[in-house]
Amino acid sequence: MRIDLHTHSSVSDGTESPADLLATAQAAGLDVVALTDHDTTAGWPIAAAARPAGLTVVPGMEMSCRWFPADSPPISVHLLAYLFDPAHPGFAAERARLRDERLERGERIVRALAEDGHPVSWERIVERSEGGVVGRPHIARALVEAGVVDSVDHAFTTLLHHHSPYYVAKVDTEVREGIALVRAAGGVPVFAHGLATKRGRVVGDAAVAAMVDAGLLGVEVDHPDHAPDERAHLRGLAADLDLIVTGSSDFHGANKATQIGACTTEPDQFEAILAAGTGSVPFRD
Ligand code: AMP
Ligand code: FE
Ligand code: FE
Ligand code: ZN
């Protein structure tokens, strides 16, 4: 069994449609794939309809959250959520708020870039996103197409970096509130790429313990952005805190170099997620 529990389609900031992503997953030899677009479940019905026979699709999402340390600015944390009820009112309202927040901050970033002479248009970026959830990768692609930078990666290390004067932070959900919402909707919350220091500041062990007290059920250990020592530390923490351990590619299509299935989850850990999730069911044969 090959299981990849973290992928993004063009419904958020991946480049493949949900149908193409599922075909890619099957061609890569995966048996199970989770669709975890940022802050939206819009891809779920599309994936259910497009699912190739033999492939199991886990409905999921990656929620944009923040941890507030006592004595430093908030730290961005991403929460994977599986098998929740998409109709739970409180959780649906918070997802809608996060999407609005993305539109507002995306527009502010792009307008500031345009004012300084970078030939990018917010209207064009929104049009190209086809109603999907907008993120910095969309702005990065526009900057590449305008010839301002030579790659999406280059955009992220310069104009779109969180230290750039153009960067605008989103008002993401306080992570313990996010965890509570996922659990209230019958879902399984898993801390995504929690120690990926290459992405920026990360939280300490005490924060993870506090997240477990709030209802966190798992941690993503094998992730392309985790160094070997970071994986080892998280694996130890998961054993101490009795957490589910996952591994995933965080596939974004052509927006990142990572291939689907680059990291995978053990079948017994996937079974634990299936047993804990009560808000929805996988799409399968
Ligand atoms: P945002 O959610 O709008 O703040 O943008 C962050 C998103 O950009 C994350 O989902 C990452 O997957 C993606 N991202 C971060 N760094 C890079 C990079 N160097 N190349 C491509 N995508 C990236
Ligand atoms: Fe992303
Ligand atoms: Fe993430
Ligand atoms: Zn992701």
Side-chain angles (χ1 to χ4, degrees):
M1 282 263 280
R2 294 193 68 229
I3 303 161
D4 184 343
L5 294 181
H6 184 168
T7 69
H8 299 267
S9 76
S10 55
V11 164
S12 65
D13 60 1
T15 57
E16 297 187 4
S17 68
D20 287 348
L21 183 147
L22 298 186
T24 299
Q26 194 166 52
L30 290 175
D31 303 286
V32 180
V33 67
L35 181 66
T36 54
D37 279 304
H38 295 284
D39 306 323
T40 182
T41 58
W44 291 17
I46 308 171
R51 184 184 64 82
L55 184 68
T56 294
V57 179
V58 181
M61 189 181 87
E62 185 172 19
M63 186 180 191
S64 308
C65 295
R66 300 187 288 181
W67 169 260
F68 291 86
D71 48 11
S72 60
I75 297 175
S76 165
V77 297
H78 287 177
L79 194 65
L80 289 159
Y82 302 106
L83 300 170
F84 57 88
D85 173 6
H88 180 277
F91 193 22
E94 184 61 5
R95 290 198 297 278
R97 190 195 66 78
L98 287 170
R99 293 194 296 271
D100 287 346
E101 188 67 27
R102 283 177 168 280
L103 286 172
E104 202 173 300
R105 77 76 108 112
E107 180 166 9
R108 284 173 64 192
I109 293 174
V110 172
R111 296 240 185 270
L113 286 165
E115 267 168 31
D116 281 357
H118 300 296
V120 285
S121 145
W122 176 243
E123 288 69 26
R124 177 103 185 98
I125 288 169
V126 170
E127 187 187 310
R128 287 281 298 275
S129 75
E130 294 177 351
V133 171
V134 180
R136 276 180 290 163
H138 296 87
I139 306 171
R141 287 186 87 82
L143 287 165
V144 173
E145 281 163 27
V148 177
V149 291
D150 51 29
S151 68
V152 167
D153 209 42
H154 186 198
F156 269 94
T157 55
T158 56
L159 293 169
L160 299 180
H161 193 272
H162 61 270
H163 290 141
S164 160
Y166 297 104
Y167 180 76
V168 178
K170 299 185 267 82
V171 179
D172 293 334
T173 312
E174 196 282 322
V175 67
R176 284 173 289 187
E177 290 172 15
I179 289 166
L181 281 171
V182 174
R183 291 297 297 272
V188 184
V190 173
F191 187 16
H193 47 71
L195 285 190
T197 50
K198 66 174 278 189
R199 287 171 170 249
R201 288 185 306 140
V202 299
V203 303
D205 292 358
V208 180
M211 287 162 63
V212 171
D213 287 341
L216 185 74
L217 294 177
V219 283
E220 189 177 54
V221 171
D222 292 307
H223 182 284
D225 290 351
H226 278 156
D229 60 317
E230 293 166 347
R231 295 183 194 203
H233 184 81
L234 268 176
R235 220 180 287 281
L237 204 56
D240 291 346
L241 297 171
D242 199 22
L243 293 169
I244 297 168
V245 168
T246 69
S248 326
S249 66
D250 203 354
F251 179 68
H252 279 71
N255 273 343
K256 285 189 184 175
T258 311
Q259 298 301 306
I260 206 163
C263 295
T264 54
T265 298
E266 293 300 324
D268 62 328
Q269 301 301 296
F270 175 51
E271 289 302 325
I273 289 175
L274 289 179
T278 57
S280 59
V281 292
F283 314 135
R284 64 200 326 176
D285 292 342

